[in-house]
PDB file of all heavy atoms in Angstrom:
ATOM      1  N   MET A1440       0.824  -1.211   0.000  1.00  0.00           N
ATOM      2  CA  MET A1440       0.000   0.000   0.000  1.00  0.00           C
ATOM      3  C   MET A1440       0.859   1.261   0.000  1.00  0.00           C
ATOM      4  O   MET A1440       0.381   2.356   0.132  1.00  0.00           O
ATOM      5  CB  MET A1440      -0.919   0.042   1.227  1.00  0.00           C
ATOM      6  CG  MET A1440      -1.855  -1.122   1.326  1.00  0.00           C
ATOM      7  SD  MET A1440      -3.484  -0.725   0.636  1.00  0.00           S
ATOM      8  CE  MET A1440      -4.274  -2.318   0.627  1.00  0.00           C
ATOM      9  N   GLY A1441       2.202   1.078  -0.128  1.00  0.00           N
ATOM     10  CA  GLY A1441       3.079   2.224   0.034  1.00  0.00           C
ATOM     11  C   GLY A1441       3.224   3.096  -1.202  1.00  0.00           C
ATOM     12  O   GLY A1441       3.795   4.162  -1.126  1.00  0.00           O
ATOM     13  N   ASN A1442       2.676   2.660  -2.342  1.00  0.00           N
ATOM     14  CA  ASN A1442       2.933   3.441  -3.561  1.00  0.00           C
ATOM     15  C   ASN A1442       2.150   4.750  -3.572  1.00  0.00           C
ATOM     16  O   ASN A1442       1.101   4.875  -2.970  1.00  0.00           O
ATOM     17  CB  ASN A1442       2.666   2.614  -4.815  1.00  0.00           C
ATOM     18  CG  ASN A1442       1.250   2.110  -4.876  1.00  0.00           C
ATOM     19  OD1 ASN A1442       0.604   1.966  -3.853  1.00  0.00           O
ATOM     20  ND2 ASN A1442       0.770   1.862  -6.055  1.00  0.00           N
ATOM     21  N   ARG A1443       2.686   5.710  -4.322  1.00  0.00           N
ATOM     22  CA  ARG A1443       2.066   7.048  -4.358  1.00  0.00           C
ATOM     23  C   ARG A1443       0.782   7.030  -5.167  1.00  0.00           C
ATOM     24  O   ARG A1443       0.721   6.359  -6.191  1.00  0.00           O
ATOM     25  CB  ARG A1443       3.015   8.008  -5.062  1.00  0.00           C
ATOM     26  CG  ARG A1443       4.129   8.497  -4.217  1.00  0.00           C
ATOM     27  CD  ARG A1443       5.194   9.139  -5.098  1.00  0.00           C
ATOM     28  NE  ARG A1443       6.024   9.984  -4.268  1.00  0.00           N
ATOM     29  CZ  ARG A1443       5.917  11.298  -4.216  1.00  0.00           C
ATOM     30  NH1 ARG A1443       5.037  11.927  -4.972  1.00  0.00           N
ATOM     31  NH2 ARG A1443       6.679  12.000  -3.422  1.00  0.00           N
ATOM     32  N   PRO A1444      -0.219   7.825  -4.751  1.00  0.00           N
ATOM     33  CA  PRO A1444      -1.452   7.918  -5.547  1.00  0.00           C
ATOM     34  C   PRO A1444      -1.147   8.420  -6.960  1.00  0.00           C
ATOM     35  O   PRO A1444      -0.328   9.313  -7.137  1.00  0.00           O
ATOM     36  CB  PRO A1444      -2.284   8.939  -4.776  1.00  0.00           C
ATOM     37  CG  PRO A1444      -1.732   8.931  -3.398  1.00  0.00           C
ATOM     38  CD  PRO A1444      -0.282   8.595  -3.520  1.00  0.00           C
ATOM     39  N   LYS A1445      -1.804   7.814  -7.939  1.00  0.00           N
ATOM     40  CA  LYS A1445      -1.557   8.199  -9.337  1.00  0.00           C
ATOM     41  C   LYS A1445      -2.659   9.143  -9.806  1.00  0.00           C
ATOM     42  O   LYS A1445      -3.827   8.748  -9.890  1.00  0.00           O
ATOM     43  CB  LYS A1445      -1.550   6.947 -10.225  1.00  0.00           C
ATOM     44  CG  LYS A1445      -0.481   5.940  -9.873  1.00  0.00           C
ATOM     45  CD  LYS A1445      -0.456   4.806 -10.897  1.00  0.00           C
ATOM     46  CE  LYS A1445       0.574   3.754 -10.552  1.00  0.00           C
ATOM     47  NZ  LYS A1445       0.165   2.824  -9.480  1.00  0.00           N
ATOM     48  N   GLN A1450      -6.702   8.868  -8.562  1.00  0.00           N
ATOM     49  CA  GLN A1450      -6.670   8.244  -7.232  1.00  0.00           C
ATOM     50  C   GLN A1450      -6.744   9.271  -6.106  1.00  0.00           C
ATOM     51  O   GLN A1450      -5.759   9.911  -5.746  1.00  0.00           O
ATOM     52  CB  GLN A1450      -5.417   7.369  -7.105  1.00  0.00           C
ATOM     53  CG  GLN A1450      -5.497   6.151  -8.015  1.00  0.00           C
ATOM     54  CD  GLN A1450      -4.302   5.230  -7.924  1.00  0.00           C
ATOM     55  OE1 GLN A1450      -3.288   5.573  -7.303  1.00  0.00           O
ATOM     56  NE2 GLN A1450      -4.397   4.073  -8.544  1.00  0.00           N
ATOM     57  N   ARG A1481      -7.618   1.145  -2.418  1.00  0.00           N
ATOM     58  CA  ARG A1481      -7.046   0.503  -1.228  1.00  0.00           C
ATOM     59  C   ARG A1481      -8.116  -0.162  -0.369  1.00  0.00           C
ATOM     60  O   ARG A1481      -7.858  -0.509   0.787  1.00  0.00           O
ATOM     61  CB  ARG A1481      -6.286   1.542  -0.404  1.00  0.00           C
ATOM     62  CG  ARG A1481      -5.071   2.077  -1.149  1.00  0.00           C
ATOM     63  CD  ARG A1481      -4.421   3.213  -0.384  1.00  0.00           C
ATOM     64  NE  ARG A1481      -3.219   3.673  -1.060  1.00  0.00           N
ATOM     65  CZ  ARG A1481      -2.616   4.827  -0.804  1.00  0.00           C
ATOM     66  NH1 ARG A1481      -3.106   5.632   0.116  1.00  0.00           N
ATOM     67  NH2 ARG A1481      -1.528   5.166  -1.458  1.00  0.00           N
ATOM     68  N   ASP A1501      -5.364  -0.363 -11.654  1.00  0.00           N
ATOM     69  CA  ASP A1501      -3.998  -0.210 -11.128  1.00  0.00           C
ATOM     70  C   ASP A1501      -3.388  -1.586 -10.814  1.00  0.00           C
ATOM     71  O   ASP A1501      -3.955  -2.361 -10.037  1.00  0.00           O
ATOM     72  CB  ASP A1501      -4.061   0.650  -9.856  1.00  0.00           C
ATOM     73  CG  ASP A1501      -2.696   0.972  -9.310  1.00  0.00           C
ATOM     74  OD1 ASP A1501      -2.051   0.057  -8.750  1.00  0.00           O
ATOM     75  OD2 ASP A1501      -2.272   2.125  -9.429  1.00  0.00           O
ATOM     76  N   GLN A1503      -0.722  -2.638  -9.065  1.00  0.00           N
ATOM     77  CA  GLN A1503      -0.351  -2.978  -7.689  1.00  0.00           C
ATOM     78  C   GLN A1503      -1.581  -3.099  -6.780  1.00  0.00           C
ATOM     79  O   GLN A1503      -1.691  -4.039  -5.983  1.00  0.00           O
ATOM     80  CB  GLN A1503       0.607  -1.918  -7.139  1.00  0.00           C
ATOM     81  CG  GLN A1503       1.118  -2.319  -5.765  1.00  0.00           C
ATOM     82  CD  GLN A1503       2.240  -1.440  -5.273  1.00  0.00           C
ATOM     83  OE1 GLN A1503       2.839  -0.661  -6.035  1.00  0.00           O
ATOM     84  NE2 GLN A1503       2.532  -1.544  -3.992  1.00  0.00           N
ATOM     85  N   LEU A1504      -2.527  -2.176  -6.930  1.00  0.00           N
ATOM     86  CA  LEU A1504      -3.724  -2.234  -6.074  1.00  0.00           C
ATOM     87  C   LEU A1504      -4.550  -3.482  -6.369  1.00  0.00           C
ATOM     88  O   LEU A1504      -5.061  -4.133  -5.451  1.00  0.00           O
ATOM     89  CB  LEU A1504      -4.564  -0.962  -6.267  1.00  0.00           C
ATOM     90  CG  LEU A1504      -3.906   0.335  -5.773  1.00  0.00           C
ATOM     91  CD1 LEU A1504      -4.799   1.534  -6.080  1.00  0.00           C
ATOM     92  CD2 LEU A1504      -3.621   0.263  -4.278  1.00  0.00           C
ATOM     93  N   GLU A1507      -2.805  -6.385  -4.695  1.00  0.00           N
ATOM     94  CA  GLU A1507      -2.987  -6.379  -3.231  1.00  0.00           C
ATOM     95  C   GLU A1507      -4.382  -6.872  -2.847  1.00  0.00           C
ATOM     96  O   GLU A1507      -4.543  -7.627  -1.888  1.00  0.00           O
ATOM     97  CB  GLU A1507      -2.751  -4.969  -2.684  1.00  0.00           C
ATOM     98  CG  GLU A1507      -1.269  -4.634  -2.612  1.00  0.00           C
ATOM     99  CD  GLU A1507      -0.983  -3.156  -2.374  1.00  0.00           C
ATOM    100  OE1 GLU A1507      -1.951  -2.376  -2.225  1.00  0.00           O
ATOM    101  OE2 GLU A1507       0.197  -2.794  -2.342  1.00  0.00           O
TER     102      GLU A1507
END
Side-chain angles (χ1 to χ4, degrees):
M1440 301 264 171
N1442 59 335
R1443 281 165 161 258
K1445 299 186 182 78
Q1450 292 181 350
R1481 295 174 177 164
D1501 185 287
Q1503 186 170 347
L1504 293 177
E1507 283 167 2

